[in-house]
Amino acid sequence: MIMIYTIMMNLPRIIDNTRESLLSLFEKVSSEHETLSIATGYWDLKGMELVFDKIKDYKKIRLLIGREPLIPRHKSLRPEPDYPDKDFFQDLERLQPTPELKKLVQSIKDLINQGRLEVRVYRKNFLHAKCYIFGSYDSDNAVGII
């Protein structure tokens, strides 16, 4: 079903950020869906800021965060018990606080409290996937970007 839909929408088969960027494709596809499942090796506020307006009204967003394999402070391939806390803390230390980021954080918190944003961390092994699935098993027009 996804391949047929991809052809019908004229979506590219390869996203190389030169001919077609992931962000532009994300923006095109996001307007036609109400659910999104993401598996990613890392997540940060600046990336969420780029797409938040497109997904803030979704009924359900599921986010699975894995661990990047080559972060310099990781001394082994075994995940840290508190991952990704240290990475988030380091990223937040580098950000300049702005009213826009504060509003974004509050909006994310609201989505979590409403049960529309579900965040999980994969801690068993490293997971550095980049997978976005718009729609669900019940969708007639689900789109997967891997």
Side-chain angles (χ1 to χ4, degrees), residues 43 45-46 48-49 52 92 95-111:
W43 175 93
L45 278 175
K46 296 306 275 183
M48 185 64 137
E49 188 175 38
F52 190 76
L92 290 172
L95 287 176
Q96 294 297 320
T98 64
E100 294 81 17
L101 277 180
K102 184 177 180 180
K103 182 180 176 188
L104 175 64
V105 169
Q106 185 58 53
S107 297
I108 292 169
K109 194 173 161 184
D110 291 345
L111 286 179

Side-chain angles (χ1 to χ4, degrees), residues 16-128:
D16 62 6
N17 286 330
T18 301
R19 292 172 290 168
E20 179 84 40
S21 74
L22 178 58
L23 180 59
S24 68
L25 187 59
F26 191 102
E27 290 171 344
K28 286 178 192 173
V29 173
S30 64
S31 64
E32 300 181 18
H33 299 278
E34 297 179 329
T35 62
L36 174 62
S37 299
I38 300 172
T40 183
Y42 191 68
W43 175 93
D44 66 6
L45 278 175
K46 296 306 275 183
M48 185 64 137
E49 188 175 38
L50 293 173
V51 299
F52 190 76
D53 282 340
K54 300 291 184 187
I55 62 174
K56 67 182 178 187
D57 296 321
Y58 274 25
K59 291 180 180 177
K60 189 69 169 178
I61 303 164
R62 299 179 323 150
L63 175 62
L64 177 64
I65 302 169
R67 180 174 68 94
E68 294 185 67
L70 300 175
I71 296 174
R73 65 182 176 74
H74 291 162
K75 307 248 188 295
S76 74
L77 292 178
R78 300 187 69 120
E80 298 169 333
D82 62 348
Y83 176 83
D85 300 3
K86 288 180 183 178
D87 292 318
F88 288 164
F89 184 75
Q90 285 180 346
D91 283 351
L92 290 172
E93 282 183 323
R94 287 183 242 154
L95 287 176
Q96 294 297 320
T98 64
E100 294 81 17
L101 277 180
K102 184 177 180 180
K103 182 180 176 188
L104 175 64
V105 169
Q106 185 58 53
S107 297
I108 292 169
K109 194 173 161 184
D110 291 345
L111 286 179
I112 291 170
N113 290 338
Q114 295 166 12
R116 294 190 302 139
L117 173 58
E118 178 183 307
V119 180
R120 295 186 184 209
V121 178
Y122 183 76
R123 299 179 192 273
K124 293 180 183 175
N125 297 315
F126 95 88
L127 170 74
H128 195 59

